Amino acid sequence: MLHEITDREASAKARDVDLKVGYQGEPGAYGEVAAAAHGGIPRGFASFEKLLEALRDGDVDEAVLPMENAVVGAITEALEPFAAFVTEGMELVAVDITSVPVRLSLAARPGTPLAAVKRAWSHPAALRQCTHRLAQMGIERVVCYDTAGAAQIVAHEASTDAAVCSRRAAERYGLAVLVEDVSDKEQNGTRFVHLRMADHARAQVSLAFLRTSSMTATGRLDVLTGATLLPLAGTTEYPVRMWVLGADAARLQALAPVRDVQVISLGQPAAHAAKVTPPRQGTEPVIKSLPHATARRAPTVVEVGPLRLGGGWRAVIAGPCSVESAEQVMRIAKEVASCGATALRGGIFKPRTNPYAFQGHGLEALDWLVAAGKANGLPVVTEVMAIDQVKPVAEKADVLQIGARNMQNFDLLRAVGRAGRPVLLKRGAGSTVDEWLGAAEYIMAAGEMRVILCERGIRTFETSTRNTLDVGGMLAARPLTHLPIIADPSHAAGRADLVEGLARGAWSAGADGLMVEVHDDPARALSDAEQALVPARFAELARNLALHPDARLPLAQLRAWVDAIDHDLGVLVQRRLEVAKVIGDSKRQTGRAVLDPRREAAVRRTYQEALPGSKGLADKLVDLLLEAAKAQQSIDED
Ligand code: PEP
Ligand code: MN
């Protein structure tokens, strides 16, 4: 049902000449103004049904339907027949929106005094816009099918009845205007949507989204291009829940945070219209609800014990590619925990290109992984490759991983979505961002809202890396989804020497986290040996990322972490002394004073900036360092 208009060349101005545009009503109706708005040739129809039939049968190229009025909001009269046609399978595309200023006059046959008017005829939507004014004047409202039609009726009837219509319609039928503007609100206006049959739509034109419940909101929703009217399935009783005017959900969501698009509903079809085609027995609505993965909402924070990802929480998941033995995973778990990783990864079922390569130790290895996680306070992440693995793995693992190769294994996605565990969803090497989000949608539609998206490199023409880490795709996905997005530099690089650079790139680009493969004996690793970081290099990477400590981490892990920092500090102090010494030597050689109070002040400022809120500590450190530097100089001078 979703169509996109892709021809970017065409624009609203370059609309077809001789375009027949149908509207509901008599000549002089506001619909006629909308129909003529872009140079179309207007043609009136007695009812919206007849208008839509004409569009369906090709008698007109375009139809305009009033959708929203500044005073009364949604205009459901048009929506009901529209609902019926779309429910029957008519595929329509919205190609434009026209705002027609509405000034509703009260008009009667010439010579009729205002005081004599007891009844006013008009279209129900127009009458609703004048409820208060007409009531004040003691005028009863009489419904007919059209504002211009009302003028026609009044003109033909020998009575003191009036019509609520445009000045144009009044003049056309020879009526005199008694009240220039009887609408309850100044600045009245109606928006018409221009519809074409889906395959008639060639031009991409600007389209304003409208929200039927209030015109004020509409002011903020501006331009989108090429859109389709999409019925959202409802219940058995009311098969169509509401109408969405949309390009595609992802694009809408992309704009949403920027443009503050709140709702894109065109309103709810009336119950009887929605009932026109009851759903066939046993068929599920195609679209059950608005999308979850691309819904507009606050960032999702996926939290599993000390692992927190999303909404500003950033973390590193690390561990071996494969769980090779109880001891191996225990050792590596300890290492990564001491660097600040907050989850342990490890494969027990391995998707291998070569069927004779190590396939993983299976469920037995799950116990080793879980034990290593428990001993080091880390939740565990492991891949499931088949539906029958989901249940036993979900019983013990904390996070289920869907590998790149299975990203579009929809039955598996549904199965993990029902398992009650958060899911880490790798992006397929050949999948687009939309497909990735679609895969997340499968998991969420099955019930699991805690989905972590993981970019792990896509396949490109480049062969010097195993895959190409698509930081651009990751960034493009960011405004489309509230889910956390992490990067896996290991599988992207395929070689250990590039992992740190890619990790830092993804981190700087705002990844919510990283997943890194670590092995303490890469030469002997049973899988992905080339890309494994040894613990020391992983430690360096983790330090560079400046992960934040979390009080929920086990004390031993926090201690190991602080020990590592102390070690780094010691090394840095040593480096500083060395460089300071060389500076002193250089100054001496060029005959400059070794001590420079301005430099001292600059060093002091550097420390104060690096230690905001601890001026005393900054000063003490500077004193100590300068003292050490001076001592070193004088020792050297000896
Ligand atoms: C893995 O994480 O071990 C793995 C197999 O990754 P991917 O599915 O991204 O290749
Ligand atoms: Mn791997």
Side-chain angles (χ1 to χ4, degrees), residues 329-520:
V329 70
M330 185 65 80
R331 284 194 312 271
I332 298 173
K334 187 161 180 257
E335 296 279 7
V336 301
S338 70
C339 302
T342 43
L344 176 68
R345 64 148 288 148
I348 58 170
F349 298 108
K350 295 306 302 176
R352 304 304 299 278
T353 308
N354 181 339
Y356 308 114
F358 174 63
Q359 302 286 306
H361 286 305
L363 287 178
E364 192 188 358
L366 181 56
D367 291 332
W368 307 337
L369 177 69
V370 170
K374 283 226 164 66
N376 293 282
L378 302 180
V380 301
V381 183
T382 198
E383 176 170 353
V384 285
M385 287 168 57
I387 295 175
D388 61 4
Q389 294 165 359
V390 173
K391 194 165 173 285
V393 174
E395 275 168 15
K396 296 176 182 170
D398 301 286
V399 178
L400 302 180
Q401 177 174 325
I402 293 291
R405 292 156 193 81
N406 274 315
M407 192 203 86
Q408 285 194 314
N409 183 340
F410 299 119
D411 289 338
L412 183 60
L413 295 177
R414 275 191 273 256
V416 292
R418 288 191 296 262
R421 294 287 188 185
V423 178
L424 188 151
L425 176 67
K426 294 272 194 112
R427 177 180 173 190
S431 300
T432 64
V433 166
D434 273 352
E435 288 162 346
W436 190 21
L437 296 175
E441 188 65 32
Y442 265 91
I443 297 166
M444 298 173 93
E448 184 53 65
M449 299 297 153
R450 297 164 300 172
V451 177
I452 304 155
L453 297 166
C454 179
E455 159 59 36
R456 46 78 73 199
I458 53 172
R459 182 162 288 192
T460 67
F461 58 83
E462 183 55 71
T463 52
S464 58
T465 48
R466 183 176 179 184
N467 292 284
T468 298
L469 185 69
D470 187 16
V471 177
M474 207 181 80
L475 288 170
R478 182 66 290 161
L480 304 180
T481 181
H482 51 86
L483 296 171
I485 307 174
I486 70 169
D488 169 352
S490 305
H491 289 89
R495 27 191 284 208
D497 61 331
L498 304 185
V499 169
E500 172 157 13
L502 288 180
R504 294 176 70 158
W507 195 259
S508 321
D512 293 308
L514 296 175
M515 167 134 147
V516 181
E517 286 189 348
V518 176
H519 201 289
D520 57 356

Side-chain angles (χ1 to χ4, degrees), residues 1 48-50 52-53 56 65 67 76-92 195 229 231 239-243 267-278:
M1 183 47 85
F48 289 112
E49 283 83 356
K50 292 232 159 20
L52 288 165
E53 271 171 33
R56 184 193 59 200
L65 297 187
M67 285 293 179
T76 45
E77 284 80 1
L79 212 48
E80 292 169 23
F82 165 61
F85 275 81
V86 179
T87 316
E88 279 164 24
M90 189 169 175
E91 295 191 10
L92 294 167
L195 300 174
L229 294 156
V240 178
R241 188 156 55 80
M242 68 172 176
W243 302 97
Q268 300 188 329
H272 73 265
K275 276 182 181 162
V276 169
T277 46

